[in-house]
Amino acid sequence: MSAPRRNALAAPLLEGEDDVSPLLPLYLRRSASNTTSQVAIVGSNICPIESLDYEIIENDFVNPDWRSRELVQICQYMLMKWILCFLIGHIVGLLGFFINLAVENVAGMKFVVTSNMMLARKFVMAFLVFASSNLSLTLFASLITAFVAPEAAGSGIPEVKAYLNGVDAPAIFSLRTLIVKIVGSICAVSSSLNVGKAGPMVHSGACIAALLGQGGSKKFGLTWKWLRFFKNDRDRRDLVTCGSAAGIAAAFRAPVGGVLFALEEMASWWRGALLWRAFFTTAVVAIVLRALIDVCMRGECGLFGKGGLIMYDVTSVNISYHLWDVPPVLLLALVGGILGSIYNYLLKKVLKIYNVINKNGVALRILLACSLSICTSCLLFGLPWLASCRPCPSDPSEPCPTIGRSGNYKKFQCPPGYYNDLASLFFNTNDDAIKNLFSKNTDSEFHYSSILLFFATCFFLSIFSYGIVAPAGLFVPVIVTGAAYGRFVGMLVGSKSNLNHGLFAVLGSASLLGGSMRMTVSLCVIILELTNNLLLLPLIMIVLLISKTVADVFNENVYDLIMTLKGLPYLENYAEPYMRQLTVGDVVTGPLQIFHGFEKVANVVHVLKVTRHHGFPVVDEPPVSESPVLFGLILRAHLLTLLRSKAFSRTPSPVGRDAIALFSADDFAKKGLGHDDKIDDIVLSDEEMEMYIDLHPFTNTSPYTVVETMSLAKALLLFREVGLRHLLVIPKFSGRTPVVGILTRHDFMPEHVLNLHPLLANSRWKRLRLRFPQLRKLV
């Protein structure tokens, strides 16, 4: 085997770099080494990050694969895709109904018991029951998350989004993560924490899709050969995309919104066939939910009733708006974009503090969650005492006051015939609070101070509740916070607008969602499917466009911020401007490990043990070829398969067809979750170590390559759009080694590039974004 080869561009830093002339080549002005990390925070654990292999491998062995032999097997493959999409939609629909049913009944029972004690004037006992039940639910959710599956903490959307970008974070789709995500989400939402279940639903849908598509399980006897069709990252990526779309569809009963959410926010790679399958999956979810909700409408679901799976009726029979109604909406969108950027900024600061706390052990993580639960209970129970009792309307649309169950008129501590408007919002699940805020014909229901206090409380509670060690989503908290903001704007506008306060609440939710999550098309459709009101379409479009545009000036969307904090190497669909000043040769580093086409087994084992590389160039040199030539690229996983099968020969000679026939496509397929081979598990004798292995039949002979003078920005777009894991860099001129280096995902990360070339950090070529250094010092 050839000795380790270091790229000539990996030159040491020159002394006195600050005084180096700007005319020097960039590679002579970069730092000596790369100190950026290649690990990420998955849950609460620091884990090494790897990439997924989306590239189609072409070699002598794969060409006679089963897909090119029999039409029956191709039909089986296509049929299984649709069957798995149907199963994903069906299971996610059932799961969404079960989660909502559990939340409504658990939280509803808690509110019924507390309300009964309030009616008996046992206020202290009512608070103790309310706070202790919330604490118990939060504690249980935190314990199972911390000790069973730390990967289930948070919403899961950043991890799924990173996976669809090509990042393979450990255990994010395991069975235990799915179970903890479901149970923990039910407990966390039922505990009155200001968290949502939409994000966990997306993660759960992706888990279900990944588990169904991992190709069966030998442990449970599921070895049907049809299941092995999907043992590759490309097909599994498509299934996870469908699962994430199904999660949103199940959370909001928004099938079209789920497809658009997966397209706009989640997927980094899309095609027409995937659009059809995602649409089919969400359609199955919608049908399943519709059938199950009909059962609940007959009163057979306990406290579930009409809540849970939210569909907010905000349509007025004679709704109309005119040109003079637009300026208040524009102002609402402008302020909503600013509020959304502030929300993201504060959330980033809080998560940094939480990361410091979480590093100090499990006990502190659980203590943090419990402390937040107690504070939340005190606020939810104590703040309604500040609101004055209001007389019930003369013709209420529902019983007033509402006792125990969800409704617009909570009695709380008020006398008969009166209700507490702030308790109607605090003493409900988030879904029912949103329903109250969106309600039509309730313009006189809430007081200014109550709405403002509710908005401020939800705004900060949702920020502090997200980072705890429990499944927690951001969608619903942002919706309810934005609804309070929009309702307050509607109350300020008053009779000067034809829009009622409930419609302003809908627009407020849209503005804060656009300002925080920076989506437009998918959010617009989700809100329309939630409210069943197409008349608001033009206003919602304007609000989302303005709020997103304004917020983009200040910072990134909330999920990108979280991915950055977690260390997930997400590749954006654009290149930083300074990348156009660099070539790929300026960032590729060594040492580069190269294999010969005929390689000694001992050399292969040594390289696999001393490196963590997952791809190795295969080069043929004389006498195999007239001059050194790049034959292709072979993956670590395939090398491990060859070593495990011991397909060796005593001399460096081509392997025969009989030896190739001993392998099947399944031998080189993607392993199941958590079942990767390790070089230390392979035992070889001294005699076998001196034998040779022919890498030619198993090497990818058509890897993607770029010349070393290509701009880094251009290479980044190629790497991301194709979904590569390895990009070979070849020399511009002949007479040199046939491969200069390998570019991986890490080489395109801005942190890595700026660490290699620190002078670019002060470059004038930066993306437009406002900075407030004085504000940063204060915070």
Side-chain angles (χ1 to χ4, degrees):
M1 186 193 75
S2 59
R5 306 184 183 183
R6 180 176 298 273
N7 179 6
L9 294 178
L13 180 67
L14 297 180
E15 294 183 3
E17 184 185 42
D18 293 339
D19 299 326
V20 172
S21 169
L23 298 179
L24 285 177
L26 282 170
Y27 66 83
L28 293 180
R29 289 184 277 136
R30 66 184 185 182
S31 63
S33 62
N34 171 31
T35 59
T36 51
S37 175
Q38 289 183 272
V39 297
I41 302 175
V42 182
S44 59
N45 298 324
I46 304 296
C47 302
I49 289 298
E50 298 177 4
S51 295
L52 299 171
D53 295 299
Y54 294 146
E55 184 179 357
I56 296 178
I57 294 177
E58 297 176 350
N59 54 34
D60 295 339
F61 173 72
V62 174
N63 283 337
D65 192 13
W66 58 267
R67 299 188 200 196
S68 61
R69 285 208 307 261
E70 296 184 16
L71 179 63
V72 174
Q73 292 176 319
I74 298 177
C75 293
Q76 290 174 350
Y77 171 70
M78 297 301 297
L79 179 63
M80 280 301 300
K81 280 189 174 182
W82 291 101
I83 291 176
L84 287 180
C85 288
F86 173 80
L87 291 176
I88 292 169
H90 195 79
I91 296 174
V92 173
L94 291 173
L95 179 61
F97 177 80
F98 168 74
I99 290 177
N100 283 278
L101 181 68
V103 168
E104 286 291 312
N105 281 278
V106 173
M109 184 61 65
K110 176 186 65 181
F111 287 126
V112 167
V113 173
T114 306
S115 297
N116 289 337
M117 291 186 176
M118 295 288 289
L119 284 175
R121 316 298 290 180
K122 299 178 180 178
F123 299 128
V124 176
M125 184 60 67
F127 170 72
L128 292 177
V129 171
F130 180 72
S132 61
S133 59
N134 288 341
L135 180 61
S136 300
L137 290 169
T138 304
L139 178 61
F140 181 72
S142 301
L143 287 174
I144 62 174
T145 304
F147 289 105
V148 180
E151 300 80 12
S155 69
I157 289 181
E159 286 84 355
V160 178
K161 183 177 179 180
Y163 177 87
L164 295 177
N165 190 254
V167 178
D168 189 13
I172 59 171
F173 294 141
S174 65
L175 181 60
R176 72 169 189 271
T177 300
L178 173 62
I179 295 174
V180 171
K181 201 78 178 183
I182 296 171
V183 178
S185 175
I186 293 172
C187 294
V189 176
S190 302
S191 68
S192 293
L193 290 174
N194 197 12
V195 298
K197 52 183 179 291
M201 274 301 306
V202 172
H203 192 182
S204 299
C207 285
I208 292 170
L211 291 171
L212 287 176
Q214 78 172 13
S217 172
K218 294 181 179 179
K219 180 179 179 181
F220 297 102
L222 301 175
T223 56
W224 187 26
K225 65 179 181 180
W226 285 21
L227 293 176
R228 298 199 296 268
F229 292 169
F230 300 93
K231 298 184 72 171
N232 61 85
D233 288 328
R234 292 175 64 86
D235 287 322
R236 200 173 297 175
R237 172 186 59 184
D238 290 354
L239 292 175
V240 170
T241 304
C242 294
S244 64
I248 285 292
F252 294 119
R253 282 176 60 193
V256 180
V259 175
L260 293 176
F261 175 79
L263 169 61
E264 182 179 8
E265 179 63 16
M266 302 299 293
S268 298
W269 187 84
W270 200 267
R271 58 194 176 94
L274 180 58
L275 176 65
W276 279 105
R277 280 192 286 273
F279 187 74
F280 171 72
T281 305
T282 57
V284 173
V285 173
I287 294 172
V288 171
L289 291 179
R290 182 69 265 174
L292 294 173
I293 289 175
D294 286 340
V295 176
C296 287
M297 290 299 183
R298 299 195 295 265
E300 300 177 7
C301 293
L303 297 172
F304 186 76
K306 299 180 180 179
L309 287 163
I310 41 186
M311 178 67 77
Y312 306 117
D313 184 13
V314 299
T315 305
S316 298
V317 177
N318 57 350
I319 179 177
S320 62
Y321 49 88
H322 305 284
L323 186 60
W324 55 82
D325 295 318
V326 176
V329 173
L330 297 180
L331 180 61
L332 178 145
L334 178 65
V335 177
I338 297 174
L339 287 175
S341 62
I342 295 174
Y343 183 92
N344 291 358
Y345 178 80
L346 294 178
L347 181 64
K348 179 179 180 181
K349 294 296 182 181
V350 171
L351 290 179
K352 285 184 176 180
I353 297 173
Y354 282 5
N355 282 341
V356 175
I357 297 174
N358 291 337
K359 289 179 181 178
N360 293 321
V362 176
L364 282 181
R365 298 174 207 157
I366 297 175
L367 180 61
L368 175 64
C370 294
S371 301
L372 187 64
S373 174
I374 294 173
C375 292
T376 301
S377 298
C378 292
L379 290 174
L380 299 189
F381 194 90
L383 290 178
W385 292 88
L386 302 178
S388 58
C389 295
R390 299 168 65 87
C392 291
S394 56
D395 54 343
S397 57
E398 57 184 71
C400 179
T402 303
I403 299 176
R405 300 199 178 193
S406 61
N408 281 23
Y409 307 101
K410 287 285 187 178
K411 186 175 183 297
F412 206 64
Q413 89 289 6
C414 296
Y418 289 79
Y419 71 96
N420 188 316
D421 60 341
L422 194 52
S424 299
L425 300 174
F426 278 135
F427 237 55
N428 263 327
T429 61
N430 278 337
D431 289 348
D432 291 323
I434 296 171
K435 184 178 180 181
N436 290 348
L437 291 169
F438 282 7
S439 296
K440 60 186 178 183
N441 301 325
T442 57
D443 288 1
S444 60
E445 179 181 343
F446 299 100
H447 193 270
Y448 289 93
S449 59
S450 298
I451 290 294
L452 190 58
L453 187 59
F454 180 73
F455 164 74
T457 305
C458 288
F459 187 85
F460 290 102
L461 277 183
S462 62
I463 291 174
F464 284 97
S465 300
Y466 179 76
I468 63 172
V469 58
L474 286 173
F475 244 106
V476 173
V478 172
I479 291 176
V480 69
T481 306
Y485 156 67
R487 186 109 186 178
F488 183 75
V489 173
M491 295 169 69
L492 293 178
V493 175
S495 59
K496 298 178 183 179
S497 174
N498 292 317
L499 300 175
N500 62 53
H501 296 176
L503 298 179
F504 268 105
V506 176
L507 297 177
S509 294
S511 70
L512 199 58
L513 283 170
S516 176
M517 300 185 178
R518 315 292 164 80
M519 291 176 278
T520 52
V521 179
S522 58
L523 286 180
C524 182
V525 174
I526 288 173
I527 293 173
L528 290 177
E529 290 184 289
L530 276 178
T531 59
N532 195 27
N533 186 3
L534 282 174
L535 296 175
L536 282 178
L537 176 60
L539 294 181
I540 293 177
M541 292 173 66
I542 293 174
V543 166
L544 287 171
L545 286 172
I546 294 177
S547 61
K548 179 189 183 302
T549 303
V550 170
D552 276 338
V553 176
F554 298 98
N555 48 33
E556 301 172 285
N557 76 64
V558 65
Y559 296 125
D560 286 350
L561 290 174
I562 295 172
M563 283 193 296
T564 301
L565 290 175
K566 287 179 173 289
L568 297 172
Y570 183 85
L571 293 180
E572 299 286 352
N573 57 359
Y574 59 84
E576 295 291 344
Y578 56 77
M579 290 185 178
R580 302 193 181 279
Q581 305 177 59
L582 297 171
T583 66
V584 295
D586 293 325
V587 298
V588 68
T589 57
L592 177 64
Q593 300 290 350
I594 294 177
F595 286 133
H596 290 140
F598 301 104
E599 193 61 76
K600 183 176 287 189
V601 174
N603 292 338
V604 175
V605 172
H606 172 73
V607 171
L608 294 182
K609 285 186 176 181
V610 299
T611 69
R612 295 174 56 190
H613 302 164
H614 287 266
F616 302 90
V618 176
V619 174
D620 278 337
E621 295 181 347
V624 178
S625 61
E626 295 181 358
S627 61
V629 60
L630 175 64
F631 185 81
L633 182 77
I634 190 165
L635 300 179
R636 169 183 283 264
H638 294 178
L639 287 173
L640 291 174
T641 300
L642 294 176
L643 292 177
R644 186 180 295 278
S645 63
K646 301 183 179 181
F648 311 142
S649 59
R650 298 187 179 277
T651 58
S653 57
V655 65
R657 285 292 174 183
D658 295 338
I660 296 179
L662 298 176
F663 296 96
S664 65
D666 188 48
D667 294 327
F668 295 89
K670 178 79 174 185
K671 302 295 182 182
L673 300 175
H675 294 90
D676 294 335
D677 289 330
K678 296 179 177 58
I679 183 62
D680 294 333
D681 298 333
I682 299 177
V683 179
L684 298 173
S685 64
D686 293 339
E687 181 182 0
E688 291 170 334
M689 295 286 277
E690 295 301 319
M691 299 177 75
Y692 290 86
I693 184 171
D694 182 10
L695 302 180
H696 292 98
F698 311 99
T699 299
N700 181 12
T701 57
S702 58
Y704 284 89
T705 60
V706 294
V707 69
E708 61 182 333
T709 54
M710 177 184 284
S711 73
L712 187 63
K714 192 173 182 180
L716 169 61
L717 296 180
L718 171 65
F719 192 93
R720 186 185 190 276
E721 294 301 321
V722 180
L724 300 179
R725 184 175 187 178
H726 305 99
L727 183 59
L728 297 183
V729 181
I730 60 176
K732 184 176 180 60
F733 303 102
S734 60
R736 299 169 53 191
T737 176
V739 57
V740 174
I742 298 180
L743 289 174
T744 62
R745 171 179 301 271
H746 182 67
D747 295 308
F748 293 102
M749 299 307 297
E751 297 82 3
H752 171 64
V753 177
L754 292 178
N755 186 70
L756 291 175
H757 305 286
L759 294 181
L760 292 177
N762 298 321
S763 171
R764 65 186 178 90
W765 301 105
K766 294 182 178 180
R767 294 179 61 79
L768 177 62
R769 185 156 284 157
L770 297 182
R771 307 290 183 185
F772 299 98
Q774 297 300 325
L775 179 62
R776 291 177 182 272
K777 291 180 181 179
L778 293 175
V779 179

